[in-house]
Amino acid sequence: MVPPNKKTWKRARKPEQKAERIDAILEAAGVLLEEQGLDGTGLNAIARQAGLSKPNLYVYFESREAILLQLLLKESAAWAKSFKRRLDQIEKVGDVDAVACAFADSLARRRRFCTLSAALASVFEHNVGPETVAQFKREFLSIVQPCVAALSQALPELSDEESSRALAMLVMSATGMWAHCHPSASVEVVLKQPEFEHIKFDFKETVFDLAACFLRGLLTGA
């Protein structure tokens, strides 16, 4: 039985049909990720959401983790484009606050990217083979390279290598903050109590502070 409001798929024979099905699988995983979190984004749920059978998923992906890694690449491309655009709009070279603001702004609404990035090392990379990991990292580095170049232009004291490492460390740190800044309903209730108000953090403000402090320290060392 086809789930309500789901497309009825015919056998994919042409490359464009296969690409369409892959996009549907990734979008289904993205919707579930936002609504149910990682725990609710399993193969059975993805198949139902996409209007496919579970065996059909294996035609395109080796595992749930492979699906989520591909979704992370898709979300990484969207984030990187946004971040580079903001960096390119900075008028004053060497303006650390402007760079930190661009970084925080680019991540502020990227729930999928932050959630997936935070789980990359602890979950996904433990459940796929070396070839899948290598391919993911190869594609990810290609995606973020324009951001690395733009960061070096915005902060000329940093070499491309330093900018690359800085961006990697900032992304790892910032995406790890996402869950803490977007807590469960129970935690939200607790954080409204006066004794805990000081540990309630706004994601965008916290990421800005992180990036500004980190970059200033890095530039002092440089």
Side-chain angles (χ1 to χ4, degrees), residues 79-209:
W79 164 72
K81 182 178 180 180
S82 172
F83 182 41
K84 183 180 183 301
R85 182 174 66 249
R86 286 170 166 80
L87 287 175
D88 290 341
Q89 292 171 348
I90 295 175
E91 297 181 358
K92 183 181 177 182
V93 172
D95 189 340
V96 172
D97 283 348
V99 172
C101 186
F103 182 68
D105 283 347
S106 71
L107 286 175
R109 295 182 179 84
R110 300 287 173 180
R111 176 182 294 273
R112 296 181 184 181
F113 175 70
C114 291
T115 301
L116 292 168
S117 292
L120 176 62
S122 61
V123 180
F124 306 148
E125 292 183 342
H126 285 269
N127 294 290
V128 292
E131 292 184 6
T132 300
V133 172
Q135 184 62 26
F136 169 82
K137 291 187 179 297
R138 194 174 294 117
E139 292 186 39
F140 180 80
L141 290 173
S142 177
I143 287 170
V144 300
Q145 184 54 40
C147 294
V148 172
L151 182 58
S152 295
Q153 290 180 351
L155 300 175
E157 293 180 61
L158 298 180
S159 66
D160 283 349
E161 182 178 353
E162 289 169 330
S163 293
S164 180
R165 287 182 58 81
L167 186 57
M169 287 187 279
L170 283 174
V171 169
M172 287 188 288
S173 300
T175 56
M177 294 177 178
W178 180 270
H180 295 283
C181 296
H182 298 85
S184 68
S186 295
V187 176
E188 284 279 12
V189 171
V190 171
L191 292 178
K192 290 179 181 179
Q193 299 175 23
E195 64 179 308
F196 299 117
E197 285 182 342
H198 67 289
I199 57 172
K200 181 177 181 179
F201 296 97
D202 177 83
F203 180 75
K204 188 174 177 179
E205 291 178 2
T206 305
V207 171
F208 171 82
D209 290 341

Side-chain angles (χ1 to χ4, degrees), residues 60-72:
Y60 304 98
F61 296 98
E62 65 181 85
S63 63
R64 178 191 85 131
E65 286 72 23
I67 294 173
L68 294 178
L69 283 175
Q70 192 62 40
L71 178 61
L72 177 51

Side-chain angles (χ1 to χ4, degrees), residues 6-11 17 20-21 24-25 50-52:
K6 297 293 187 298
K7 182 171 181 176
T8 300
W9 294 99
K10 297 180 180 180
R11 184 176 180 181
Q17 292 174 323
E20 183 183 9
R21 193 160 296 185
I25 293 169
L52 295 166

Side-chain angles (χ1 to χ4, degrees), residues 38-69:
L38 276 177
D39 289 342
T41 310
L43 285 175
N44 288 326
I46 293 172
R48 285 195 300 271
Q49 182 70 26
L52 295 166
S53 67
K54 185 177 177 180
N56 272 338
L57 295 184
Y58 289 110
V59 174
Y60 304 98
F61 296 98
E62 65 181 85
S63 63
R64 178 191 85 131
E65 286 72 23
I67 294 173
L68 294 178
L69 283 175

